């Protein structure tokens, strides 16, 4: 009986790999192991759930997104980031100065809130939507997260004792470290591996992982491969109108040529198979995506729909928010879940412009306004659709930035704060620990256990712990989490679940 059960598990894994169009080597080793575990995991999963990763590309200065407001911390913050640098936000309650040439003064003070437990926090002054979500207990703050191998103290870091991630402060490598726990070139991300375990409940396995922001390793698993679509919908080979050079026949011929192989060579057959799957998937998703719903205003395009517009803090103009447009595509795809036969999905969206070495006050204000508007829009949309309890949205970024200002911005750091949103989130609360800010010693150091040289923030929560908490909610078991998240077992059992969802 055991042999037959193992054989069926292998056959199921290979069937799933075949459905995704993978060649045999991709369905071996860890892929087969996760597939076998996935049968049991999927069998225990009920209802629909989705994880949505909002990636802030470039390294978000989280120290100006969420701040502690106790007097001592704020004084240290203002002493380092205030004055000539003009990086510091004004304290909560500071009135706006409409005539000022300094944007932060025109915006007024940061938006103060009181977290469950009584800790005072504040959000960037353009993040009214996030403040409201936090107060409504639909959003939580996860403090000081970063890639870590295991617990690490400042003393150990400075003395070279204890492991730390490779290639810290490198954009490409740390983006991949966040998404896949390896440097650039890694091929499997934790979102895709979560989906590996639960995708056997999906009728259309192609749509288990969906990106509206191009290729993302976070979506790739041993069998799952991220399906890429645009904000307006799936990408079609040829003209979006169904015509090439004004002819439907030319488009049909083009598609027929690309999905056929002229000879039996493996590479050509595989290319034809990939093209055929892409065309078939586009046809299925295009026909399944609903057009009208709470995600948009009937009769409006993306550039005219007021639901997708945000206000630029520095100009006052209302313009299209690309992040909201991406999240609109996610909402429409979720609305098609029954048509597509989906029970578990992971989604990836992103926005750039966070590498704020200079001009940070204006650049970050715009990005924080986009983020706050997009998250508030997405929450309202999901609530109107009745699926807000089934979707958890979270932020990620290359890294945080330095506490120290360089005069017009901040440089590459390590730890940073993040936001988690959804109906299932235990919101209105701070999870983890905000870093202790210290005074500068004049030599690039700080008298704080959390500040490394040059003001780099040492994380106190690992991406493994962050991911494990999301994975448990998604339906992944503890044993599978320990397999997928390489550093998780280096943390105490009691700290592997952070409790925000």
């Amino acid at each position: 009986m055991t042999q037959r059960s193992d054989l069926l598990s292998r056959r199921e894994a290979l069937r799933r790999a075949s459905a995704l169009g993978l060649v045999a080597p991709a369905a071996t080793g860890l892929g087969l192991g996760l597939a076998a575990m996935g049968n049991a995991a999927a069998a225990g999963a009920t209802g629909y759930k989705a994880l949505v990763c909002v990636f802030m590309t470039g390294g978000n200065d989280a120290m100006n997104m969420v701040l502690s407001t106790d007097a001592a911390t704020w004084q240290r913050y203002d002493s380092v980031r205030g004055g000539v640098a003009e990086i510091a936000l004004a304290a909560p309650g500071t009135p706006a100065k409409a005539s000022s040439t300094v944007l932060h003064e025109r915006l007024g003070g940061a938006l103060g809130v009181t977290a469950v437990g009584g800790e005072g926090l504040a959000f960037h002054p353009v993040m009214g939507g996030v403040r409201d979500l936090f107060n409504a207990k639909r959003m939580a703050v996860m403090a000081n997260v970063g890639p870590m191998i295991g617990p690490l103290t400042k003393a150990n870091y400075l003395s070279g004792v204890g492991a730390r991630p490779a290639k810290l402060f490198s954009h490409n490598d740390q983006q991949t470290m966040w998404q896949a726990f390896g440097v650039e070139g890694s091929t499997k991300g934790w979102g895709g591996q979560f989906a590996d375990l639960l995708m056997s409940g999906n009728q259309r396995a192609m749509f288990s992982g969906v990106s509206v922001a191009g290729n993302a390793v976070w979506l790739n698993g041993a069998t799952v491969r991220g399906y890429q679509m645009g904000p307006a919908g799936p990408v079609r080979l040829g003209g979006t109108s169904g015509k090439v050079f004004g002819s439907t026949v030319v488009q049909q011929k083009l598609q027929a040529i690309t999905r056929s192989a002229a000879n039996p060579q493996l590479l050509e057959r595989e290319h034809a198979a990939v093209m055929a799957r892409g065309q078939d998937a586009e046809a299925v998703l295009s026909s399944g995506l609903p057009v009208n719903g709470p995600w948009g205003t009937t009769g409006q395009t993306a550039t005219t729909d007021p639901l997708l517009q945000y206000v630029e803090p520095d100009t006052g103009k209302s313009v299209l928010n690309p992040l909201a447009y991406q999240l609109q595509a996610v909402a429409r795809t979720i609305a098609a879940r029954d048509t597509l036969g989906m029970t578990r999905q992971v989604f990836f969206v992103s926005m750039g412009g966070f590498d704020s070495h200079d001009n940070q006050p204006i650049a970050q204000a715009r990005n924080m306004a986009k983020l706050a508007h997009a998250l508030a829009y997405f929450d309202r949309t999901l609530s109107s659709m009745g699926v807000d309890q089934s979707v958890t949205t979270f932020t990620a970024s290359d890294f945080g930035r330095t506490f120290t200002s360089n005069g017009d911005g901040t440089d590459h750091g390590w730890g940073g704060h993040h936001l988690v949103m959804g109906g299932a989130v235990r919101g209105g609360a701070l999870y983890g620990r905000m870093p202790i800010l210290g005074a500068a010693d004049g030599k690039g150091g700080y008298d704080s256990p959390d500040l490394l040289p040059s003001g780099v923030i040492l994380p106190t929560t690992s991406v493994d712990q962050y991911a494990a908490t999301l994975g448990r909610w998604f339906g992944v078991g503890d044993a599978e989490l320990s397999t997928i998240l390489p550093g998780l077992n280096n943390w105490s059992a009691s700290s592997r679940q952070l409790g925000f969802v």
Side-chain angles (χ1 to χ4, degrees):
M1 187 66 178
T2 302
Q3 283 184 326
R4 179 169 176 78
S5 176
D6 291 344
L7 179 60
L8 289 174
S9 295
R10 288 179 62 84
R11 284 177 176 170
E12 172 64 11
L14 291 170
R15 181 194 68 76
R16 287 159 56 184
S18 177
L20 286 167
L22 303 176
V23 294
T28 59
L30 178 60
L32 280 174
L34 287 178
M37 290 189 291
N39 292 329
T46 58
Y48 175 85
K49 285 187 177 182
L51 287 173
V52 182
C53 176
V54 177
F55 203 90
M56 299 177 286
T57 305
N60 177 42
D61 180 18
M63 293 289 288
N64 268 19
M65 181 178 77
V66 186
L67 305 90
S68 291
T69 57
D70 65 274
T73 299
W74 196 276
Q75 187 279 326
R76 295 179 188 122
Y77 164 81
D78 192 63
S79 69
V80 171
R81 289 196 163 194
V84 177
E86 297 179 352
I87 296 297
L89 301 176
T94 304
K97 297 180 181 179
S99 61
S100 176
T101 59
V102 178
L103 179 60
H104 284 176
E105 292 183 352
R106 295 203 304 273
L107 294 175
L111 306 177
V113 296
T114 301
V116 173
E119 183 158 3
L121 301 174
F123 295 105
H124 193 289
V126 302
M127 299 185 76
V130 164
R131 182 263 322 270
D132 295 344
L133 286 165
F134 186 87
N135 285 338
K137 294 183 169 53
R138 300 184 66 80
M139 177 171 286
V141 171
M142 187 64 245
N144 199 13
V145 186
M148 301 182 78
I149 307 301
L152 185 68
T153 66
K154 178 178 178 178
N156 285 342
Y157 177 91
L158 294 177
S159 63
V161 175
R164 73 282 314 274
K167 299 187 177 181
L168 283 171
F169 319 122
S170 160
H171 283 295
N172 293 350
D173 293 295
Q174 293 310 302
Q175 288 170 19
T176 307
M177 193 67 69
W178 255 91
Q179 297 181 40
F181 301 108
V183 296
E184 186 177 17
S186 300
T187 58
K188 291 193 290 290
W190 50 272
Q193 291 183 79
F194 287 176
D196 278 338
L197 292 168
L198 298 161
M199 71 180 230
S200 65
N202 294 336
Q203 293 179 24
R204 303 280 186 178
M206 176 71 78
F207 307 119
S208 298
V210 177
S211 173
V212 198
N215 186 44
V217 69
W218 182 74
L219 290 173
N220 293 335
T223 54
V224 168
R225 290 293 179 267
Y227 177 84
Q228 298 180 37
M229 63 184 291
V235 179
R236 176 177 296 173
L237 177 64
T240 56
S241 64
K243 297 180 180 180
V244 172
F245 301 128
S247 170
T248 56
V249 174
V250 173
Q251 175 135 332
Q252 291 167 1
K253 293 294 185 183
L254 173 64
Q255 292 180 346
I257 290 170
T258 58
R259 64 187 294 145
S260 62
N263 63 63
Q265 290 182 359
L266 175 63
L267 183 59
E268 188 166 341
R269 292 202 316 271
E270 281 300 309
H271 177 267
V274 168
M275 295 302 295
R277 287 192 301 274
Q279 291 175 40
D280 293 344
E282 182 274 326
V284 169
L285 188 54
S286 291
S287 63
L289 281 182
V291 176
N292 297 319
W295 49 79
T297 304
T298 303
Q300 299 292 321
T301 65
T303 55
T304 61
D305 191 339
L307 293 177
L308 299 180
Q309 314 300 306
Y310 88 106
V311 177
E312 291 180 337
D314 51 318
T315 68
K317 295 180 179 179
S318 293
V319 296
L320 173 65
N321 183 346
L323 182 60
Y325 194 19
Q326 291 179 49
L327 289 171
Q328 181 185 70
V330 174
R332 292 176 64 205
T333 306
I334 291 172
R337 65 195 180 281
D338 291 337
T339 301
L340 299 174
M342 308 304 292
T343 60
R344 290 292 186 276
Q345 289 180 286
V346 291
F347 293 91
F348 185 89
V349 298
S350 72
M351 57 186 296
F354 285 92
D355 194 17
S356 52
H357 293 284
D358 52 26
N359 197 34
Q360 178 169 311
I362 292 176
Q364 193 187 31
R366 284 191 175 189
N367 277 332
M368 293 295 98
K370 290 178 188 176
L371 179 65
H373 166 262
L375 291 177
Y377 157 80
F378 194 47
D379 181 73
R380 288 193 305 270
T381 299
L382 295 177
S383 296
S384 297
M385 292 166 57
V387 295
D388 55 301
Q389 293 286 335
S390 302
V391 182
T392 296
T393 304
F394 65 96
T395 64
S397 189
D398 315 17
F399 34 62
R401 304 191 77 83
T402 55
F403 176 44
T404 309
S405 168
N406 61 25
D408 193 28
T410 50
D411 299 320
H412 298 183
W414 190 356
H417 316 315
H418 289 282
L419 307 175
V420 188
M421 180 185 79
V425 172
R426 297 183 177 100
L430 171 70
Y431 294 86
R433 179 174 65 77
M434 296 291 275
I436 298 170
L437 302 185
D441 62 8
K443 302 177 183 179
Y446 291 84
D447 60 348
S448 159
D450 299 326
L451 294 177
L452 302 176
S454 300
V456 170
I457 301 170
L458 177 65
T460 46
T461 297
S462 73
V463 177
D464 301 77
Q465 295 167 291
Y466 189 46
T469 308
L470 293 164
R472 171 75 75 80
W473 172 83
F474 196 55
V476 182
D478 290 343
E480 291 85 356
L481 289 172
S482 294
T483 299
I484 294 170
L485 309 174
L488 189 60
N489 290 335
N490 295 330
W491 299 85
S492 67
S494 61
S495 69
R496 294 173 196 170
Q497 292 292 319
L498 302 174
F500 56 74
V501 65

